[in-house]
Amino acid sequence: MQFTAKQISEFLDGTIEGDETATVKELSKIESGGAGSLCFLSNPKYESYLYTTQASVVIVSRDFVPAQPVNCTLIKVKDPYSSFSILLEKYNEVVNQDRTTPGIDQPCFIHPSAKIGKNVYIGAFCTIEENVVIGDNCKIYTQAYIGADTQIGNDVMLYPGVKIYNRTILGNRITIHANAVIGSDGFGFAPQPDGTYNKIAQIGNVVVEDDVEIGANTTIDRATMGSTFIRKGAKLDNLIQIAHNVDVGAHSVVAAQSGISGSTKLGDNSVIGGQVGIAGHLNLGKGTQVGAQAGINFNTEDNKQWHGSPAQPLKEWMRSTVIFKKLPEVEKRVRELEAKIAELNALIEQITTTQNR
């Protein structure tokens, strides 16, 4: 499919500088864009590519003024990144159009007590246990498992191999990617006098609110008692561990390989980088931002940025990083000073000995 710059501009409520009849048939990165492709520019460090790209159309901000002549057509919008993401979504709908149709592939096991809504697709080799309720327009792909008494809202998509344990509650418009596990046992063991551990029964559940997306191979443990919560609009990357009784705030984002320990509350609109470790029983304020590989073992206030392990406020961490880089030089200078002090002490001792003779 091809679209003209004019059509795209009208769709994005933008303005055109250049050839409004320029056509595009694919989306690409600005550094690798070729003829017939559409790119975007939002980060100033990529501006140099604008003057060399072969792309036909580039989306830029309304206040952007090129420093050099450009060969492509520009579409100026309020927010280039958001506009491009809208186009990516539309492109994905066309190119990766879901070819499933409502119905139940065989073989499957669906308990007679389960209630299935309208326009639902269930792939082959799925298991749906007793008293499960599935809403309308859901897609459940092959080899998914849904445990007893689970409730699933409308427009939910479970990709292949997703495992949903008993009594989980999923809201509307949720996407869970392949092999994620929702509702597995919380990690609870009571140490015994003889050095062994007794397992503590995990009798709670997991509640995932509306508009959440959960990445592949992510695990979310059910609560010991009560519920583990993933609040509305949260986005979880792949390979994340959410422990029992954690509460992930609304519209928070957690990147891959991060782990949140039991009973910690993550404030709304927080941003957690990759490989972050967060200790248990903490309260992290709204808008908390944590850089990649940081370690958090304390409560945080609202709208604070943290980096490093153990974590520090951003400005302190940046100063510490400068010092870390200079440590070899500092060590060398310390050794030189120690040698000079040793020489001075030897000279003083020699003078003192001479005077005492």
Side-chain angles (χ1 to χ4, degrees):
M1 297 179 67
Q2 289 190 347
F3 298 91
T4 66
K6 182 179 180 180
Q7 289 174 315
I8 296 168
S9 176
E10 290 173 349
F11 178 71
L12 298 176
D13 192 26
T15 58
I16 294 177
E17 286 190 5
D19 181 9
E20 67 177 19
T21 65
T23 58
V24 297
K25 59 183 179 180
E26 62 181 3
L27 308 179
S28 66
K29 298 186 293 184
I30 192 168
E31 59 267 37
S32 57
S37 68
L38 181 146
C39 312
F40 80 104
L41 173 66
S42 64
N43 190 329
K45 74 178 185 179
Y46 290 97
E47 182 178 342
S48 61
Y49 292 109
L50 178 65
Y51 310 118
T52 60
T53 185
Q54 300 301 307
S56 299
V57 179
V58 178
I59 299 172
V60 298
S61 65
R62 286 176 180 166
D63 58 358
F64 176 75
V65 178
Q68 304 175 30
V70 295
N71 297 318
C72 55
T73 295
L74 301 181
I75 297 179
K76 292 193 169 184
V77 297
K78 181 179 179 180
D79 184 344
Y81 187 81
S82 295
S83 295
F84 196 73
S85 68
I86 292 171
L87 294 177
L88 284 172
E89 184 176 350
K90 293 299 180 183
Y91 184 84
N92 184 60
E93 289 177 2
V94 174
V95 175
N96 297 319
Q97 186 176 11
D98 194 332
R99 291 171 174 80
T100 61
T101 57
I104 301 173
D105 291 345
Q106 295 298 333
C108 274
F109 170 78
I110 300 177
H111 195 277
S113 63
K115 297 179 180 179
I116 311 297
K118 301 176 182 177
N119 300 316
V120 172
Y121 167 75
I122 299 175
F125 301 103
C126 288
T127 297
I128 299 175
E129 300 284 10
E130 60 184 330
N131 299 320
V132 169
V133 177
I134 298 174
D136 299 339
N137 307 313
C138 293
K139 295 183 185 297
I140 300 170
Y141 290 90
T142 182
Q143 297 184 332
Y145 171 85
I146 302 175
D149 302 304
T150 290
Q151 299 177 36
I152 298 176
N154 301 323
D155 302 292
V156 172
M157 186 174 293
L158 306 182
Y159 278 99
V162 169
K163 304 298 185 286
I164 309 292
Y165 280 49
N166 297 0
R167 295 178 291 108
T168 296
I169 298 176
L170 303 182
N172 303 308
R173 300 175 301 280
I174 291 170
T175 299
I176 303 179
H177 289 276
N179 298 317
V181 179
I182 314 298
S184 50
D185 276 9
F187 190 65
F189 297 89
Q192 302 300 301
D194 62 356
T196 61
Y197 291 87
N198 282 352
K199 184 176 178 63
I200 299 173
Q202 307 292 297
I203 63 173
N205 72 339
V206 174
V207 176
V208 182
E209 296 182 351
D210 296 348
D211 302 303
V212 167
E213 183 153 349
I214 298 170
N217 292 299
T218 284
T219 58
I220 302 173
D221 292 345
R222 71 175 179 264
T224 305
M225 294 180 288
S227 299
T228 299
F229 287 99
I230 311 298
R231 301 292 184 180
K232 182 176 181 179
K235 311 300 180 188
L236 306 183
D237 200 355
N238 305 326
L239 295 165
I240 290 171
Q241 162 63 21
I242 306 294
H244 59 117
N245 292 96
V246 165
D247 191 328
V248 174
H251 306 292
S252 292
V253 178
V254 184
Q257 299 183 8
S258 292
I260 304 178
S261 299
S263 299
T264 284
K265 297 184 181 298
L266 180 62
D268 296 348
N269 299 106
S270 293
V271 178
I272 307 301
Q275 295 187 332
V276 167
I278 302 176
H281 302 274
L282 300 178
N283 285 291
L284 276 61
K286 295 179 180 179
T288 292
Q289 296 185 24
V290 184
Q293 296 189 326
I296 302 287
N297 60 359
F298 48 82
N299 296 329
T300 69
E301 299 175 356
D302 293 351
N303 302 312
K304 299 293 185 181
Q305 293 179 298
W306 303 91
H307 288 255
S309 186
Q312 300 174 279
L314 176 59
K315 290 184 179 179
E316 292 182 17
W317 176 79
M318 292 175 71
R319 288 195 292 266
S320 297
T321 301
V322 173
I323 294 172
F324 294 155
K325 290 180 179 178
K326 293 182 178 180
L327 281 179
E329 177 186 341
V330 171
E331 181 191 27
K332 180 181 177 182
R333 291 171 60 186
V334 168
R335 290 185 180 278
E336 290 174 350
L337 289 171
E338 288 176 339
K340 290 181 180 180
I341 291 171
E343 291 177 5
L344 288 172
N345 286 336
L347 180 59
I348 291 170
E349 184 178 352
Q350 182 180 359
I351 293 171
T352 302
T353 302
T354 302
Q355 289 176 343
N356 290 336
R357 287 179 179 174

